[in-house]
Amino acid sequence: MHTMQSLLDSVLFPPLQAVCGPLDATVGLYVVDSLAAFADRFQVALTSACLFIVTFHILKWFVSPAVFGATYAKLTPVDKFRWNEKLISVIHASIATVGAAASAWHTFSSLPDSLNSMTNYELILGVNNTPLHRDFFIQTSIGYFLSDLFLYTLPPIHHSAFEFFHHIVAGGSYTLGVYYQWGTWIQINFLLNEVSTPFLQLTWFFRYTGLRHSPVDKTNRKVFALLFFISRVVWNSIFCWHVIQALVYVAIDPWVTPRLFWVQVVLIISHCSLQYFWFYRIMA
């Protein structure tokens, strides 16, 4: 067992060290110097991943055949896989939206001043011991990305390189935030973006249930576009502006290396910028 742990440590930790610097220092209240300690820090994420995987298979073998009957039976193996993946996506998006809204509101209600106040830049981009409610919902989303990556490896293999890349980058960014207790306030607000996801997935389901181009489909598409615009264009733009402002004033804490700092900043700004492209595609 010790040999296996040492082998895994030697394989998994070097890539993290290449991005973040040394990992054998105290991080917040945690000392993470091995895979076992890393797993202990991310118990919620690992539990979440297992639950999402189990739920996928319950949907696949029991719920979808029973509830959707002939519609589901006529699907190809790939579409059946996608069907249950999208149900999992809706479940995750619902949990993430409610959790992020509750957590963000809790933080907003405790701010001593307005968001763009100098006194709150440290909250936006500084290192803070993440409140348990925020940590829980971010780790739940990390678990979702992990479970989806695992499902991508199951037959029928049909996922694109972009899908793998998206999940690795998104899940990795959230993981670094939780690990370093840095940037989690930004991340929980980005989880609010998930409010539009269920409506996106509904457009896919309508293709197979005879409702495509129906009044309910057209209404759903309008709701999706509106929620996407509010949560991913307007809110992200406001938040990214405050992140850029905070860059001027917030010093990098000793355990947040410059490499990690700029990797996360680039990912944050890239995420915001990408939403403009997707909104253009939605409206085109």
Side-chain angles (χ1 to χ4, degrees), residues 100-115 120 123 131 133-134 185 188-189 235:
S103 180
W105 175 253
H106 180 274
T107 302
F108 272 121
S109 63
S110 63
L111 290 178
D113 206 340
S114 63
L115 183 61
N120 290 319
L123 172 66
H133 53 80
R134 190 191 305 164
W185 170 226
I188 200 69
N189 277 274
W235 180 241

Side-chain angles (χ1 to χ4, degrees), residues 63-79:
V63 178
S64 291
V67 174
F68 302 105
T71 299
Y72 183 77
K74 291 186 294 186
L75 297 175
T76 66
V78 168
D79 284 337

Side-chain angles (χ1 to χ4, degrees), residues 33-56:
D33 59 1
S34 70
L35 183 63
F38 192 85
D40 183 65
R41 176 68 184 93
F42 286 90
Q43 288 185 45
V44 173
L46 296 173
T47 302
S48 168
C50 293
L51 289 174
F52 277 121
I53 292 169
V54 170
T55 303
F56 172 86

